[in-house]
mmCIF file with all atom_site columns, all heavy atoms in Angstrom:
data_model
loop_
_atom_site.group_PDB
_atom_site.id
_atom_site.type_symbol
_atom_site.label_atom_id
_atom_site.label_alt_id
_atom_site.label_comp_id
_atom_site.label_asym_id
_atom_site.label_entity_id
_atom_site.label_seq_id
_atom_site.pdbx_PDB_ins_code
_atom_site.Cartn_x
_atom_site.Cartn_y
_atom_site.Cartn_z
_atom_site.occupancy
_atom_site.B_iso_or_equiv
_atom_site.pdbx_formal_charge
_atom_site.auth_seq_id
_atom_site.auth_comp_id
_atom_site.auth_asym_id
_atom_site.auth_atom_id
_atom_site.pdbx_PDB_model_num
ATOM 1  N N   . MET A 1 1  ? -16.886 29.815 23.437 1.00 65.00 ? 1  MET A N   1
ATOM 2  C CA  . MET A 1 1  ? -16.694 28.833 22.398 1.00 65.00 ? 1  MET A CA  1
ATOM 3  C C   . MET A 1 1  ? -16.359 27.487 23.059 1.00 65.00 ? 1  MET A C   1
ATOM 4  O O   . MET A 1 1  ? -15.479 27.401 23.912 1.00 65.00 ? 1  MET A O   1
ATOM 5  C CB  . MET A 1 1  ? -15.558 29.284 21.488 1.00 65.00 ? 1  MET A CB  1
ATOM 6  C CG  . MET A 1 1  ? -15.341 28.394 20.314 1.00 65.00 ? 1  MET A CG  1
ATOM 7  S SD  . MET A 1 1  ? -14.320 29.252 19.104 1.00 65.00 ? 1  MET A SD  1
ATOM 8  C CE  . MET A 1 1  ? -13.075 28.047 18.845 1.00 65.00 ? 1  MET A CE  1
ATOM 9  N N   . ALA A 1 2  ? -17.041 26.447 22.658 1.00 71.00 ? 2  ALA A N   1
ATOM 10 C CA  . ALA A 1 2  ? -16.834 25.125 23.232 1.00 71.00 ? 2  ALA A CA  1
ATOM 11 C C   . ALA A 1 2  ? -15.558 24.501 22.671 1.00 71.00 ? 2  ALA A C   1
ATOM 12 O O   . ALA A 1 2  ? -15.219 24.706 21.507 1.00 71.00 ? 2  ALA A O   1
ATOM 13 C CB  . ALA A 1 2  ? -18.023 24.235 22.907 1.00 71.00 ? 2  ALA A CB  1
ATOM 14 N N   . ALA A 1 3  ? -14.878 23.776 23.514 1.00 84.00 ? 3  ALA A N   1
ATOM 15 C CA  . ALA A 1 3  ? -13.669 23.082 23.081 1.00 84.00 ? 3  ALA A CA  1
ATOM 16 C C   . ALA A 1 3  ? -14.068 21.910 22.182 1.00 84.00 ? 3  ALA A C   1
ATOM 17 O O   . ALA A 1 3  ? -15.128 21.318 22.338 1.00 84.00 ? 3  ALA A O   1
ATOM 18 C CB  . ALA A 1 3  ? -12.895 22.581 24.283 1.00 84.00 ? 3  ALA A CB  1
ATOM 19 N N   . GLU A 1 4  ? -13.208 21.605 21.225 1.00 91.00 ? 4  GLU A N   1
ATOM 20 C CA  . GLU A 1 4  ? -13.482 20.505 20.310 1.00 91.00 ? 4  GLU A CA  1
ATOM 21 C C   . GLU A 1 4  ? -13.228 19.173 21.001 1.00 91.00 ? 4  GLU A C   1
ATOM 22 O O   . GLU A 1 4  ? -12.253 19.020 21.742 1.00 91.00 ? 4  GLU A O   1
ATOM 23 C CB  . GLU A 1 4  ? -12.592 20.639 19.072 1.00 91.00 ? 4  GLU A CB  1
ATOM 24 C CG  . GLU A 1 4  ? -13.017 19.724 17.955 1.00 91.00 ? 4  GLU A CG  1
ATOM 25 C CD  . GLU A 1 4  ? -12.285 20.033 16.659 1.00 91.00 ? 4  GLU A CD  1
ATOM 26 O OE1 . GLU A 1 4  ? -12.171 21.214 16.313 1.00 91.00 ? 4  GLU A OE1 1
ATOM 27 O OE2 . GLU A 1 4  ? -11.829 19.072 16.025 1.00 91.00 ? 4  GLU A OE2 1
ATOM 28 N N   . VAL A 1 5  ? -14.091 18.205 20.749 1.00 90.00 ? 5  VAL A N   1
ATOM 29 C CA  . VAL A 1 5  ? -13.981 16.877 21.345 1.00 90.00 ? 5  VAL A CA  1
ATOM 30 C C   . VAL A 1 5  ? -12.880 16.101 20.626 1.00 90.00 ? 5  VAL A C   1
ATOM 31 O O   . VAL A 1 5  ? -12.775 16.153 19.396 1.00 90.00 ? 5  VAL A O   1
ATOM 32 C CB  . VAL A 1 5  ? -15.329 16.130 21.214 1.00 90.00 ? 5  VAL A CB  1
ATOM 33 C CG1 . VAL A 1 5  ? -15.201 14.695 21.661 1.00 90.00 ? 5  VAL A CG1 1
ATOM 34 C CG2 . VAL A 1 5  ? -16.408 16.846 21.985 1.00 90.00 ? 5  VAL A CG2 1
ATOM 35 N N   . ASP A 1 6  ? -12.070 15.390 21.387 1.00 93.00 ? 6  ASP A N   1
ATOM 36 C CA  . ASP A 1 6  ? -11.034 14.533 20.814 1.00 93.00 ? 6  ASP A CA  1
ATOM 37 C C   . ASP A 1 6  ? -11.665 13.177 20.513 1.00 93.00 ? 6  ASP A C   1
ATOM 38 O O   . ASP A 1 6  ? -11.750 12.303 21.377 1.00 93.00 ? 6  ASP A O   1
ATOM 39 C CB  . ASP A 1 6  ? -9.861  14.403 21.788 1.00 93.00 ? 6  ASP A CB  1
ATOM 40 C CG  . ASP A 1 6  ? -8.711  13.599 21.209 1.00 93.00 ? 6  ASP A CG  1
ATOM 41 O OD1 . ASP A 1 6  ? -8.845  13.056 20.090 1.00 93.00 ? 6  ASP A OD1 1
ATOM 42 O OD2 . ASP A 1 6  ? -7.672  13.506 21.887 1.00 93.00 ? 6  ASP A OD2 1
ATOM 43 N N   . GLY A 1 7  ? -12.129 13.031 19.279 1.00 92.00 ? 7  GLY A N   1
ATOM 44 C CA  . GLY A 1 7  ? -12.831 11.817 18.883 1.00 92.00 ? 7  GLY A CA  1
ATOM 45 C C   . GLY A 1 7  ? -11.997 10.562 19.027 1.00 92.00 ? 7  GLY A C   1
ATOM 46 O O   . GLY A 1 7  ? -12.497 9.509  19.435 1.00 92.00 ? 7  GLY A O   1
ATOM 47 N N   . LEU A 1 8  ? -10.721 10.657 18.724 1.00 92.00 ? 8  LEU A N   1
ATOM 48 C CA  . LEU A 1 8  ? -9.845  9.497  18.833 1.00 92.00 ? 8  LEU A CA  1
ATOM 49 C C   . LEU A 1 8  ? -9.737  9.038  20.286 1.00 92.00 ? 8  LEU A C   1
ATOM 50 O O   . LEU A 1 8  ? -9.821  7.838  20.576 1.00 92.00 ? 8  LEU A O   1
ATOM 51 C CB  . LEU A 1 8  ? -8.462  9.817  18.267 1.00 92.00 ? 8  LEU A CB  1
ATOM 52 C CG  . LEU A 1 8  ? -7.483  8.660  18.204 1.00 92.00 ? 8  LEU A CG  1
ATOM 53 C CD1 . LEU A 1 8  ? -8.041  7.510  17.376 1.00 92.00 ? 8  LEU A CD1 1
ATOM 54 C CD2 . LEU A 1 8  ? -6.163  9.117  17.612 1.00 92.00 ? 8  LEU A CD2 1
ATOM 55 N N   . ALA A 1 9  ? -9.594  9.974  21.206 1.00 95.00 ? 9  ALA A N   1
ATOM 56 C CA  . ALA A 1 9  ? -9.508  9.615  22.622 1.00 95.00 ? 9  ALA A CA  1
ATOM 57 C C   . ALA A 1 9  ? -10.806 8.962  23.105 1.00 95.00 ? 9  ALA A C   1
ATOM 58 O O   . ALA A 1 9  ? -10.778 7.980  23.858 1.00 95.00 ? 9  ALA A O   1
ATOM 59 C CB  . ALA A 1 9  ? -9.205  10.858 23.461 1.00 95.00 ? 9  ALA A CB  1
ATOM 60 N N   . ILE A 1 10 ? -11.933 9.483  22.628 1.00 93.00 ? 10 ILE A N   1
ATOM 61 C CA  . ILE A 1 10 ? -13.217 8.903  23.031 1.00 93.00 ? 10 ILE A CA  1
ATOM 62 C C   . ILE A 1 10 ? -13.382 7.500  22.459 1.00 93.00 ? 10 ILE A C   1
ATOM 63 O O   . ILE A 1 10 ? -13.795 6.577  23.160 1.00 93.00 ? 10 ILE A O   1
ATOM 64 C CB  . ILE A 1 10 ? -14.372 9.826  22.610 1.00 93.00 ? 10 ILE A CB  1
ATOM 65 C CG1 . ILE A 1 10 ? -14.334 11.103 23.446 1.00 93.00 ? 10 ILE A CG1 1
ATOM 66 C CG2 . ILE A 1 10 ? -15.716 9.126  22.757 1.00 93.00 ? 10 ILE A CG2 1
ATOM 67 C CD1 . ILE A 1 10 ? -15.319 12.166 23.022 1.00 93.00 ? 10 ILE A CD1 1
ATOM 68 N N   . LEU A 1 11 ? -13.036 7.329  21.202 1.00 92.00 ? 11 LEU A N   1
ATOM 69 C CA  . LEU A 1 11 ? -13.140 5.994  20.603 1.00 92.00 ? 11 LEU A CA  1
ATOM 70 C C   . LEU A 1 11 ? -12.213 4.997  21.290 1.00 92.00 ? 11 LEU A C   1
ATOM 71 O O   . LEU A 1 11 ? -12.587 3.841  21.497 1.00 92.00 ? 11 LEU A O   1
ATOM 72 C CB  . LEU A 1 11 ? -12.840 6.061  19.106 1.00 92.00 ? 11 LEU A CB  1
ATOM 73 C CG  . LEU A 1 11 ? -13.909 6.712  18.245 1.00 92.00 ? 11 LEU A CG  1
ATOM 74 C CD1 . LEU A 1 11 ? -13.431 6.837  16.798 1.00 92.00 ? 11 LEU A CD1 1
ATOM 75 C CD2 . LEU A 1 11 ? -15.209 5.942  18.302 1.00 92.00 ? 11 LEU A CD2 1
ATOM 76 N N   . CYS A 1 12 ? -11.026 5.432  21.644 1.00 93.00 ? 12 CYS A N   1
ATOM 77 C CA  . CYS A 1 12 ? -10.105 4.558  22.374 1.00 93.00 ? 12 CYS A CA  1
ATOM 78 C C   . CYS A 1 12 ? -10.697 4.155  23.723 1.00 93.00 ? 12 CYS A C   1
ATOM 79 O O   . CYS A 1 12 ? -10.620 2.991  24.127 1.00 93.00 ? 12 CYS A O   1
ATOM 80 C CB  . CYS A 1 12 ? -8.750  5.238  22.570 1.00 93.00 ? 12 CYS A CB  1
ATOM 81 S SG  . CYS A 1 12 ? -7.769  5.335  21.060 1.00 93.00 ? 12 CYS A SG  1
ATOM 82 N N   . ALA A 1 13 ? -11.309 5.107  24.407 1.00 94.00 ? 13 ALA A N   1
ATOM 83 C CA  . ALA A 1 13 ? -11.926 4.815  25.710 1.00 94.00 ? 13 ALA A CA  1
ATOM 84 C C   . ALA A 1 13 ? -13.071 3.819  25.552 1.00 94.00 ? 13 ALA A C   1
ATOM 85 O O   . ALA A 1 13 ? -13.228 2.903  26.369 1.00 94.00 ? 13 ALA A O   1
ATOM 86 C CB  . ALA A 1 13 ? -12.426 6.109  26.352 1.00 94.00 ? 13 ALA A CB  1
#
Side-chain angles (χ1 to χ4, degrees):
M1 184 164 128
E4 192 170 315
V5 173
D6 184 355
L8 185 58
I10 291 173
L11 288 175
C12 287

